[in-house]
Amino acid sequence: MATGQIRQLLAGYYDVATSDGTIYRTRARGNFRKRGITPLVGDFVDFQSDNQEEGYILEVHSRKNSLVRPPVANIDRAIVVTAAAEPDFSDNLLDRQLVAVEEMNIEPVIYFTKTDLLSDEQLAHLRTVADGYRKIGYQTLVPDDAFAPTALAELSAEFTNHLSVFMGQTGAGKSTLLNHILPDLNLATGEISQALSRGRHTTRMVGLHEINGGLVADTPGFSSYEVFKMPANELSHFFPEFLEASASCRFRGCVHINEPGCAVKDGLEQGEFMQSRYDNYRAFYDLIVNQKPDYRKNKK
């Protein structure tokens, strides 16, 4: 028996990489379905194999997190691809995405695209906004040209020692960015399909590629962030700056709305926090409160 990480799912086959980089083609045991377990790319697994072409996954190790779109487990970082224009930048949408990845214990990296479409004044304002997110602790990149070699090199530096996925709004350019990061992706996919002899109907879900000492998922992530899964009184846990300040609130369990002695509201008045972040927090809080309880329970 050996241990490795699933690097690719293709037509029911799981390609598992061991610590020395050897790839084994495996299938999942039939009892996984009975146990309600679906192996995902990124999972660490125990497997047995007599050769590199025929093996079986015996056990899936516990995960620290997982996504549905793309179906990847044990993610360290999410590259949050954010349009500066066309569509216009939305701090509400960006904060929704940040809450989503914070809830899954994934570290976000904000990467702005389409900055070349901005006027000098607009770009200066965006850089001020980016500074606000950096103050919170979010790595934020605002390249003059999102697809220039220097910008891509700066982004690639974020991959080292991490498993990263790309996510972002529709039209932000995340697929284009992925194609620049993984220029040989289509060629590699074609070669794999041919090697498996599955013909044109081969269905490939997602794979991980080694870049700059890290792993990058080649399928972009979800772009819809309509539902918040946490209770309203836990929302502030996913705003790092508010969570840190809440230790100084007068009342334990302060939700930073109407309570006296609220350190978050005091900090807001003193300019310590971004007004847009607090406004979005309030909007999200109201949205959660007004969601149907049964719906939230089902989505938990």
mmCIF file of all heavy atoms in Angstrom, residues 164-196:
data_model
loop_
_atom_site.group_PDB
_atom_site.id
_atom_site.type_symbol
_atom_site.label_atom_id
_atom_site.label_comp_id
_atom_site.label_asym_id
_atom_site.label_seq_id
_atom_site.Cartn_x
_atom_site.Cartn_y
_atom_site.Cartn_z
ATOM 1 N N SER A 164 -3.541 25.941 -5.368
ATOM 2 C CA SER A 164 -4.316 27.151 -5.673
ATOM 3 C C SER A 164 -5.398 26.876 -6.706
ATOM 4 O O SER A 164 -5.225 26.054 -7.612
ATOM 5 C CB SER A 164 -3.391 28.255 -6.208
ATOM 6 O OG SER A 164 -2.367 28.572 -5.281
ATOM 7 N N VAL A 165 -6.522 27.584 -6.575
ATOM 8 C CA VAL A 165 -7.579 27.571 -7.578
ATOM 9 C C VAL A 165 -7.864 29.003 -8.000
ATOM 10 O O VAL A 165 -7.605 29.946 -7.249
ATOM 11 C CB VAL A 165 -8.879 26.915 -7.049
ATOM 12 C CG1 VAL A 165 -8.648 25.476 -6.645
ATOM 13 C CG2 VAL A 165 -9.459 27.715 -5.888
ATOM 14 N N PHE A 166 -8.379 29.151 -9.210
ATOM 15 C CA PHE A 166 -8.799 30.461 -9.707
ATOM 16 C C PHE A 166 -10.312 30.565 -9.581
ATOM 17 O O PHE A 166 -11.036 29.605 -9.863
ATOM 18 C CB PHE A 166 -8.393 30.623 -11.178
ATOM 19 C CG PHE A 166 -6.946 30.961 -11.384
ATOM 20 C CD1 PHE A 166 -5.957 30.039 -11.091
ATOM 21 C CD2 PHE A 166 -6.569 32.201 -11.868
ATOM 22 C CE1 PHE A 166 -4.621 30.331 -11.279
ATOM 23 C CE2 PHE A 166 -5.239 32.518 -12.062
ATOM 24 C CZ PHE A 166 -4.256 31.580 -11.768
ATOM 25 N N MET A 167 -10.779 31.707 -9.162
ATOM 26 C CA MET A 167 -12.208 31.942 -9.054
ATOM 27 C C MET A 167 -12.473 33.404 -9.357
ATOM 28 O O MET A 167 -11.559 34.230 -9.379
ATOM 29 C CB MET A 167 -12.712 31.592 -7.646
ATOM 30 C CG MET A 167 -12.016 32.377 -6.540
ATOM 31 S SD MET A 167 -12.575 31.916 -4.889
ATOM 32 C CE MET A 167 -14.183 32.705 -4.856
ATOM 33 N N GLY A 168 -13.727 33.727 -9.609
ATOM 34 C CA GLY A 168 -14.047 35.124 -9.876
ATOM 35 C C GLY A 168 -15.322 35.266 -10.671
ATOM 36 O O GLY A 168 -15.915 34.288 -11.129
ATOM 37 N N GLN A 169 -15.733 36.520 -10.840
ATOM 38 C CA GLN A 169 -16.979 36.826 -11.512
ATOM 39 C C GLN A 169 -16.894 36.489 -12.992
ATOM 40 O O GLN A 169 -15.810 36.423 -13.592
ATOM 41 C CB GLN A 169 -17.291 38.320 -11.341
ATOM 42 C CG GLN A 169 -16.341 39.220 -12.110
ATOM 43 C CD GLN A 169 -16.360 40.655 -11.657
ATOM 44 O OE1 GLN A 169 -15.411 41.134 -11.075
ATOM 45 N NE2 GLN A 169 -17.450 41.361 -11.936
ATOM 46 N N THR A 170 -18.039 36.272 -13.610
ATOM 47 C CA THR A 170 -18.098 36.075 -15.051
ATOM 48 C C THR A 170 -17.609 37.332 -15.757
ATOM 49 O O THR A 170 -18.002 38.447 -15.419
ATOM 50 C CB THR A 170 -19.543 35.765 -15.486
ATOM 51 O OG1 THR A 170 -19.983 34.582 -14.820
ATOM 52 C CG2 THR A 170 -19.626 35.574 -16.986
ATOM 53 N N GLY A 171 -16.710 37.161 -16.731
ATOM 54 C CA GLY A 171 -16.198 38.296 -17.485
ATOM 55 C C GLY A 171 -14.955 38.925 -16.908
ATOM 56 O O GLY A 171 -14.422 39.888 -17.478
ATOM 57 N N ALA A 172 -14.459 38.386 -15.787
ATOM 58 C CA ALA A 172 -13.261 38.962 -15.161
ATOM 59 C C ALA A 172 -11.987 38.531 -15.861
ATOM 60 O O ALA A 172 -10.933 39.136 -15.663
ATOM 61 C CB ALA A 172 -13.199 38.577 -13.688
ATOM 62 N N GLY A 173 -12.076 37.468 -16.673
ATOM 63 C CA GLY A 173 -10.905 37.014 -17.407
ATOM 64 C C GLY A 173 -10.149 35.889 -16.733
ATOM 65 O O GLY A 173 -8.983 35.670 -17.037
ATOM 66 N N LYS A 174 -10.828 35.143 -15.846
ATOM 67 C CA LYS A 174 -10.109 34.082 -15.134
ATOM 68 C C LYS A 174 -9.675 32.956 -16.065
ATOM 69 O O LYS A 174 -8.593 32.390 -15.893
ATOM 70 C CB LYS A 174 -10.930 33.537 -13.966
ATOM 71 C CG LYS A 174 -12.335 33.054 -14.279
ATOM 72 C CD LYS A 174 -13.070 32.666 -12.998
ATOM 73 C CE LYS A 174 -14.480 32.162 -13.289
ATOM 74 N NZ LYS A 174 -15.356 33.252 -13.789
ATOM 75 N N SER A 175 -10.505 32.619 -17.063
ATOM 76 C CA SER A 175 -10.117 31.572 -18.007
ATOM 77 C C SER A 175 -8.949 32.042 -18.873
ATOM 78 O O SER A 175 -8.019 31.273 -19.151
ATOM 79 C CB SER A 175 -11.310 31.180 -18.886
ATOM 80 O OG SER A 175 -12.320 30.582 -18.105
ATOM 81 N N THR A 176 -8.989 33.276 -19.306
ATOM 82 C CA THR A 176 -7.878 33.829 -20.092
ATOM 83 C C THR A 176 -6.599 33.845 -19.269
ATOM 84 O O THR A 176 -5.515 33.507 -19.769
ATOM 85 C CB THR A 176 -8.218 35.260 -20.557
ATOM 86 O OG1 THR A 176 -9.432 35.241 -21.295
ATOM 87 C CG2 THR A 176 -7.104 35.823 -21.419
ATOM 88 N N LEU A 177 -6.728 34.217 -18.008
ATOM 89 C CA LEU A 177 -5.570 34.234 -17.122
ATOM 90 C C LEU A 177 -4.999 32.829 -16.952
ATOM 91 O O LEU A 177 -3.780 32.629 -16.990
ATOM 92 C CB LEU A 177 -5.967 34.825 -15.772
ATOM 93 C CG LEU A 177 -4.850 35.052 -14.752
ATOM 94 C CD1 LEU A 177 -3.770 35.952 -15.325
ATOM 95 C CD2 LEU A 177 -5.422 35.661 -13.473
ATOM 96 N N LEU A 178 -5.883 31.852 -16.788
ATOM 97 C CA LEU A 178 -5.436 30.462 -16.663
ATOM 98 C C LEU A 178 -4.708 30.004 -17.925
ATOM 99 O O LEU A 178 -3.697 29.289 -17.851
ATOM 100 C CB LEU A 178 -6.635 29.553 -16.406
ATOM 101 C CG LEU A 178 -6.874 29.128 -14.965
ATOM 102 C CD1 LEU A 178 -8.182 28.332 -14.859
ATOM 103 C CD2 LEU A 178 -5.718 28.312 -14.421
ATOM 104 N N ASN A 179 -5.205 30.423 -19.086
ATOM 105 C CA ASN A 179 -4.561 30.029 -20.338
ATOM 106 C C ASN A 179 -3.163 30.630 -20.464
ATOM 107 O O ASN A 179 -2.281 30.033 -21.087
ATOM 108 C CB ASN A 179 -5.419 30.455 -21.536
ATOM 109 C CG ASN A 179 -6.643 29.586 -21.702
ATOM 110 O OD1 ASN A 179 -6.652 28.427 -21.287
ATOM 111 N ND2 ASN A 179 -7.687 30.136 -22.295
ATOM 112 N N HIS A 180 -2.965 31.809 -19.878
ATOM 113 C CA HIS A 180 -1.628 32.402 -19.873
ATOM 114 C C HIS A 180 -0.719 31.694 -18.869
ATOM 115 O O HIS A 180 0.473 31.498 -19.135
ATOM 116 C CB HIS A 180 -1.712 33.894 -19.520
ATOM 117 C CG HIS A 180 -2.109 34.774 -20.667
ATOM 118 N ND1 HIS A 180 -3.418 34.947 -21.055
ATOM 119 C CD2 HIS A 180 -1.362 35.516 -21.517
ATOM 120 C CE1 HIS A 180 -3.463 35.773 -22.098
ATOM 121 N NE2 HIS A 180 -2.232 36.126 -22.394
ATOM 122 N N ILE A 181 -1.297 31.305 -17.736
ATOM 123 C CA ILE A 181 -0.507 30.614 -16.716
ATOM 124 C C ILE A 181 -0.157 29.201 -17.184
ATOM 125 O O ILE A 181 0.941 28.691 -16.926
ATOM 126 C CB ILE A 181 -1.284 30.550 -15.382
ATOM 127 C CG1 ILE A 181 -1.454 31.955 -14.794
ATOM 128 C CG2 ILE A 181 -0.601 29.629 -14.386
ATOM 129 C CD1 ILE A 181 -0.153 32.582 -14.322
ATOM 130 N N LEU A 182 -1.107 28.556 -17.871
ATOM 131 C CA LEU A 182 -0.931 27.172 -18.354
ATOM 132 C C LEU A 182 -1.058 27.136 -19.873
ATOM 133 O O LEU A 182 -2.032 26.627 -20.417
ATOM 134 C CB LEU A 182 -1.979 26.252 -17.722
ATOM 135 C CG LEU A 182 -1.949 26.126 -16.194
ATOM 136 C CD1 LEU A 182 -3.204 25.412 -15.690
ATOM 137 C CD2 LEU A 182 -0.701 25.369 -15.756
ATOM 138 N N PRO A 183 -0.076 27.675 -20.600
ATOM 139 C CA PRO A 183 -0.204 27.781 -22.062
ATOM 140 C C PRO A 183 -0.261 26.433 -22.776
ATOM 141 O O PRO A 183 -0.763 26.348 -23.892
ATOM 142 C CB PRO A 183 1.053 28.564 -22.474
ATOM 143 C CG PRO A 183 2.020 28.339 -21.358
ATOM 144 C CD PRO A 183 1.187 28.250 -20.111
ATOM 145 N N ASP A 184 0.250 25.368 -22.152
ATOM 146 C CA ASP A 184 0.246 24.051 -22.798
ATOM 147 C C ASP A 184 -0.929 23.189 -22.350
ATOM 148 O O ASP A 184 -0.947 21.980 -22.591
ATOM 149 C CB ASP A 184 1.551 23.306 -22.480
ATOM 150 C CG ASP A 184 2.769 24.033 -23.034
ATOM 151 O OD1 ASP A 184 2.627 24.664 -24.102
ATOM 152 O OD2 ASP A 184 3.835 23.977 -22.403
ATOM 153 N N LEU A 185 -1.914 23.790 -21.723
ATOM 154 C CA LEU A 185 -3.015 23.014 -21.148
ATOM 155 C C LEU A 185 -3.758 22.217 -22.198
ATOM 156 O O LEU A 185 -3.996 21.022 -22.044
ATOM 157 C CB LEU A 185 -3.991 23.943 -20.413
ATOM 158 C CG LEU A 185 -5.233 23.292 -19.822
ATOM 159 C CD1 LEU A 185 -4.841 22.218 -18.809
ATOM 160 C CD2 LEU A 185 -6.116 24.349 -19.168
ATOM 161 N N ASN A 186 -4.155 22.835 -23.310
ATOM 162 C CA ASN A 186 -4.918 22.124 -24.342
ATOM 163 C C ASN A 186 -4.112 20.982 -24.950
ATOM 164 O O ASN A 186 -4.639 19.900 -25.204
ATOM 165 C CB ASN A 186 -5.359 23.103 -25.432
ATOM 166 C CG ASN A 186 -6.414 24.070 -24.926
ATOM 167 O OD1 ASN A 186 -7.157 23.757 -24.005
ATOM 168 N ND2 ASN A 186 -6.466 25.249 -25.528
ATOM 169 N N LEU A 187 -2.827 21.211 -25.173
ATOM 170 C CA LEU A 187 -1.971 20.168 -25.724
ATOM 171 C C LEU A 187 -1.891 18.998 -24.757
ATOM 172 O O LEU A 187 -2.036 17.841 -25.146
ATOM 173 C CB LEU A 187 -0.571 20.721 -25.985
ATOM 174 C CG LEU A 187 0.491 19.708 -26.423
ATOM 175 C CD1 LEU A 187 0.092 19.075 -27.749
ATOM 176 C CD2 LEU A 187 1.851 20.386 -26.558
ATOM 177 N N ALA A 188 -1.678 19.296 -23.477
ATOM 178 C CA ALA A 188 -1.552 18.234 -22.476
ATOM 179 C C ALA A 188 -2.837 17.424 -22.389
ATOM 180 O O ALA A 188 -2.813 16.198 -22.289
ATOM 181 C CB ALA A 188 -1.200 18.832 -21.114
ATOM 182 N N THR A 189 -3.976 18.094 -22.437
ATOM 183 C CA THR A 189 -5.258 17.401 -22.352
ATOM 184 C C THR A 189 -5.452 16.464 -23.533
ATOM 185 O O THR A 189 -5.902 15.332 -23.388
ATOM 186 C CB THR A 189 -6.411 18.423 -22.304
ATOM 187 O OG1 THR A 189 -6.219 19.274 -21.177
ATOM 188 C CG2 THR A 189 -7.751 17.730 -22.178
ATOM 189 N N GLY A 190 -5.089 16.928 -24.731
ATOM 190 C CA GLY A 190 -5.222 16.090 -25.907
ATOM 191 C C GLY A 190 -4.355 14.855 -25.828
ATOM 192 O O GLY A 190 -4.769 13.760 -26.213
ATOM 193 N N GLU A 191 -3.138 15.022 -25.317
ATOM 194 C CA GLU A 191 -2.229 13.885 -25.200
ATOM 195 C C GLU A 191 -2.776 12.851 -24.220
ATOM 196 O O GLU A 191 -2.706 11.642 -24.462
ATOM 197 C CB GLU A 191 -0.858 14.371 -24.750
ATOM 198 C CG GLU A 191 -0.118 15.164 -25.828
ATOM 199 C CD GLU A 191 1.173 15.748 -25.317
ATOM 200 O OE1 GLU A 191 1.332 15.800 -24.078
ATOM 201 O OE2 GLU A 191 2.017 16.155 -26.131
ATOM 202 N N ILE A 192 -3.338 13.319 -23.118
ATOM 203 C CA ILE A 192 -3.880 12.402 -22.123
ATOM 204 C C ILE A 192 -5.064 11.643 -22.700
ATOM 205 O O ILE A 192 -5.192 10.434 -22.542
ATOM 206 C CB ILE A 192 -4.303 13.181 -20.859
ATOM 207 C CG1 ILE A 192 -3.069 13.718 -20.152
ATOM 208 C CG2 ILE A 192 -5.097 12.291 -19.901
ATOM 209 C CD1 ILE A 192 -3.387 14.719 -19.056
ATOM 210 N N SER A 193 -5.943 12.346 -23.410
ATOM 211 C CA SER A 193 -7.111 11.699 -23.992
ATOM 212 C C SER A 193 -6.682 10.626 -24.984
ATOM 213 O O SER A 193 -7.255 9.530 -25.037
ATOM 214 C CB SER A 193 -7.986 12.739 -24.698
ATOM 215 O OG SER A 193 -8.461 13.693 -23.776
ATOM 216 N N GLN A 194 -5.673 10.929 -25.797
ATOM 217 C CA GLN A 194 -5.201 9.962 -26.787
ATOM 218 C C GLN A 194 -4.594 8.747 -26.097
ATOM 219 O O GLN A 194 -4.811 7.606 -26.506
ATOM 220 C CB GLN A 194 -4.166 10.627 -27.690
ATOM 221 C CG GLN A 194 -3.712 9.737 -28.848
ATOM 222 C CD GLN A 194 -2.772 10.469 -29.768
ATOM 223 O OE1 GLN A 194 -2.244 11.524 -29.427
ATOM 224 N NE2 GLN A 194 -2.562 9.936 -30.945
ATOM 225 N N ALA A 195 -3.844 8.986 -25.019
ATOM 226 C CA ALA A 195 -3.192 7.892 -24.305
ATOM 227 C C ALA A 195 -4.217 6.947 -23.689
ATOM 228 O O ALA A 195 -3.996 5.740 -23.604
ATOM 229 C CB ALA A 195 -2.277 8.452 -23.221
ATOM 230 N N LEU A 196 -5.355 7.484 -23.282
ATOM 231 C CA LEU A 196 -6.383 6.655 -22.664
ATOM 232 C C LEU A 196 -7.252 5.946 -23.698
ATOM 233 O O LEU A 196 -8.032 5.055 -23.365
ATOM 234 C CB LEU A 196 -7.285 7.504 -21.761
ATOM 235 C CG LEU A 196 -6.723 7.847 -20.383
ATOM 236 C CD1 LEU A 196 -7.696 8.761 -19.659
ATOM 237 C CD2 LEU A 196 -6.495 6.586 -19.559
#
